């Protein structure tokens, strides 16, 4: 129930609810992964059941796919969709140019593929994710398991020549074993603290053998929807150069707010 939500969860919910209005009948929509994206999927499922919204969703992870089917959204693969009208996803950080760090949930590869196969990417987030310069959140880098320690050493060596404040890379764990992505890869989290040239870093990382993809999303996001704990919503469009404000009232809904595991 919304009355039991923390301010941060309220902020995530209002951002997700406002972004759900971008979805129209007949669209093919990329569905992101993470706690904020889970709110979006719940909101869209409610619109499917109660308002008759008809669209096809392309999930960016098995977790999102399972939740989407659970709430009644028709799920198809990216190969079936071929191209998307819209992708809505969360972010771990965003800056003033709407560049992002993503991958805290471990789905950065599918998230980037889906986002770049879309006419428009909308990011839903709370104001706490805004930063002046990317890098406070550890940068995820997906690597193949074979020789991952060598890849880690190469990454750390390469970071010496990059405009960053930290150079430590740690293997993401799931308990006592390495975290494994949906594609069967590992993730190195780079503790950089500050990234002076995110575009350069993204290009350099992806040229390294063993690296599959990195969590820097540069020039991909078109619109960010920022939620606040009091129901306010701010929408920034990087292409139009516009900033809009709105406010959403919380509406109690048992179907929407119960059994949300993400």
């Amino acid at each position: 129930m919304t009355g039991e939500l923390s301010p941060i969860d309220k902020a995530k919910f209002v951002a997700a609810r406002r972004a759900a209005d971008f979805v129209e009948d007949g669209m093919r929509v990329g569905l992101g992964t993470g706690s904020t994206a889970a709110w979006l999927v719940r909101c869209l499922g409610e619109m499917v059941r109660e308002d008759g919204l008809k669209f096809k969703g392309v999930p960016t992870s098995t977790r999102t796919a399972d939740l989407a089917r659970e709430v009644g959204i028709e799920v198809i693969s990216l190969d079936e969709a071929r191209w998307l009208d819209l992708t809505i996803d969360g972010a771990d950080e965003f800056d003033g140019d709407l560049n992002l760090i993503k991958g805290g949930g471990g789905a950065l590869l599918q998230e980037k593929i889906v986002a770049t196969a879309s006419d428009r990417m909308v990011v839903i987030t709370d104001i706490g994710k805004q930063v002046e310069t990317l890098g406070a959140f550890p940068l995820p880098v997906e690597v193949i398991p074979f020789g991952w320690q060598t890849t880690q050493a190469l990454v750390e060596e390469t970071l010496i020549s990059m405009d960053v404040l930290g150079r430590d890379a740690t293997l993401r764990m799931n308990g006592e074993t390495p975290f494994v992505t949906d594609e069967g890869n590992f993730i190195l989290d780079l503790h950089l603290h500050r990234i002076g040239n995110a575009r350069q870093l993204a290009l350099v990382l992806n040229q390294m053998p063993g690296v599959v993809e990195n969590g820097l999303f540069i020039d991909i996001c078109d619109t960010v929807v920022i939620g606040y704990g009091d129901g306010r919503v701010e929408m920034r469009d990087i292409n139009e150069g516009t900033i809009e404000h709105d406010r959403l009232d919380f509406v109690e809904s048992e179907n929407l707010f119960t059994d949300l595991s993400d």
Side-chain angles (χ1 to χ4, degrees):
M1 304 292 284
T2 54
E4 300 171 355
L5 294 179
S6 67
I8 189 66
D9 281 333
K10 289 180 180 179
K12 292 178 179 182
F13 165 66
V14 295
R17 183 62 190 85
R18 180 63 184 84
D21 292 335
F22 289 115
V23 179
E24 301 175 358
D25 279 338
M27 278 188 169
R28 292 159 296 180
V29 181
L31 303 174
T33 296
S35 59
T36 311
W39 289 115
L40 169 77
V41 173
R42 285 278 174 149
C43 289
L44 288 173
E46 186 176 58
M47 293 167 69
V48 167
R49 297 188 305 272
E50 298 187 3
D51 303 327
L53 177 66
K54 295 181 179 179
F55 75 98
K56 296 179 180 180
V58 175
T60 55
S61 68
T62 55
R63 301 192 303 279
T64 297
D66 291 342
L67 179 59
R69 293 189 181 97
E70 177 186 327
V71 300
I73 295 173
E74 181 181 356
V75 171
I76 62 173
S77 69
L78 182 58
D79 287 335
E80 292 175 284
R82 299 184 65 83
W83 194 258
L84 305 178
D85 300 287
L86 173 70
T87 286
I88 307 177
D89 203 348
D92 298 302
E93 281 187 348
F94 70 96
D95 65 14
D97 295 322
L98 304 195
N99 293 317
L100 320 169
I101 286 181
K102 289 179 51 56
L108 65 99
L109 179 57
Q110 288 191 22
E111 288 174 335
K112 189 174 283 190
I113 292 172
V114 169
T116 54
S118 305
D119 288 334
R120 182 182 187 185
M121 182 189 188
V122 174
V123 163
I124 48 178
T125 185
D126 59 87
I127 192 61
K129 303 295 179 60
Q130 180 175 346
V131 296
E132 184 174 344
T133 304
L134 297 176
F137 190 91
L139 174 64
V141 177
E142 187 160 339
V143 300
I144 65 171
F146 175 79
W148 71 265
Q149 290 175 309
T150 300
T151 303
Q152 177 182 7
L154 289 172
V155 168
E156 291 179 328
E157 182 178 355
T158 300
L159 290 175
I160 295 174
S161 62
M162 297 288 101
D163 185 8
V164 296
L165 292 183
R167 298 195 299 270
D168 291 336
T170 58
L171 180 68
R172 187 177 299 184
M173 302 297 290
N174 182 17
E176 298 297 319
T177 60
F179 175 89
V180 179
T181 70
D182 282 353
E183 292 75 32
N185 297 317
F186 294 167
I187 287 183
L188 297 176
D189 287 311
L190 310 189
H191 304 272
L192 308 177
H193 307 299
R194 176 187 176 276
I195 302 172
N197 190 331
R199 188 184 307 276
Q200 179 191 46
L201 180 60
L203 291 172
V204 169
L205 286 172
N206 279 7
Q207 290 175 351
M208 301 183 65
V211 171
V212 180
E213 188 54 81
N214 69 84
L216 286 166
F217 283 52
I218 310 298
D219 297 333
I220 296 177
C221 174
D222 299 287
T223 304
V224 62
V225 181
I226 306 166
Y228 294 80
D230 61 1
R232 288 180 296 133
V233 179
E234 179 179 327
M235 291 168 288
R236 304 178 191 172
D237 189 298
I238 195 69
N239 301 312
E240 300 295 332
T242 57
I243 299 177
E244 300 179 17
H245 295 90
D246 198 356
R247 180 181 290 274
L248 300 182
D249 294 327
F250 295 115
V251 178
E252 302 288 355
S253 173
E254 285 288 347
N255 291 332
L256 188 59
F257 294 105
T258 56
D259 300 326
L260 184 59
S261 59
D262 195 334

